[in-house]
Amino acid sequence: MAKVLCDCGESLWNGEIPNQIEFHAFSDVQLIDMFNRLEKFEADQSNINDEYWRDRRDDILWPPINVWRCPKCKRLYAFEIDRDTASRKLKYIYKLEEQL
């Protein structure tokens, strides 16, 4: 669980699952690779218990980028995720531009 104070003053928190602020981003290449790994894993898992499957599934489905959207101003915060430590590092902040 993490907490971020948005530039607009809104407090963002991902402690509830599911939640309305957190999105998981994969590139097209990463998504195809994930599906390929899932297919291979499912084909090989005939004698594997549910606990092992849950642990392996989380490893396969771990997103490289985690995006939070402020419900108040719609600003986006993009975090890079370190799979080894399960930590996140703020990489980008996107502010919504006025529509023309």
Side-chain angles (χ1 to χ4, degrees):
M1 293 182 280
K3 199 175 211 178
V4 171
L5 183 63
C6 183
D7 289 353
C8 74
E10 185 79 6
S11 182
L12 309 176
W13 179 64
N14 73 338
E16 292 182 16
I17 299 175
N19 64 68
Q20 295 294 319
I21 66 161
E22 190 171 18
F23 300 83
H24 307 285
F26 297 91
S27 72
D28 198 38
V29 170
Q30 291 166 329
L31 191 62
I32 290 168
D33 179 57
M34 180 181 66
F35 285 137
N36 289 338
R37 286 185 289 146
L38 276 173
E39 281 180 358
K40 182 180 184 308
F41 179 72
E42 287 175 350
D44 294 343
Q45 68 142 348
S46 57
N47 295 318
I48 297 173
N49 64 34
D50 286 342
E51 184 177 332
Y52 179 84
W53 164 242
R54 276 192 302 276
D55 291 343
R56 190 70 185 110
R57 179 196 61 204
D58 290 345
D59 181 46
I60 292 170
L61 300 177
W62 194 284
I65 302 289
N66 191 242
V67 178
W68 291 19
R69 181 181 62 194
C70 176
K72 185 175 177 183
C73 71
K74 306 304 183 214
R75 186 175 273 115
L76 298 176
Y77 292 85
F79 299 91
E80 212 170 44
I81 305 297
D82 183 330
R83 292 178 69 164
D84 296 327
T85 63
S87 63
R88 62 184 46 127
K89 177 183 175 186
L90 183 60
K91 193 78 169 160
Y92 304 104
I93 300 173
Y94 299 94
K95 182 180 178 187
L96 188 64
E97 292 184 10
E98 295 294 325
Q99 293 191 14
L100 302 174

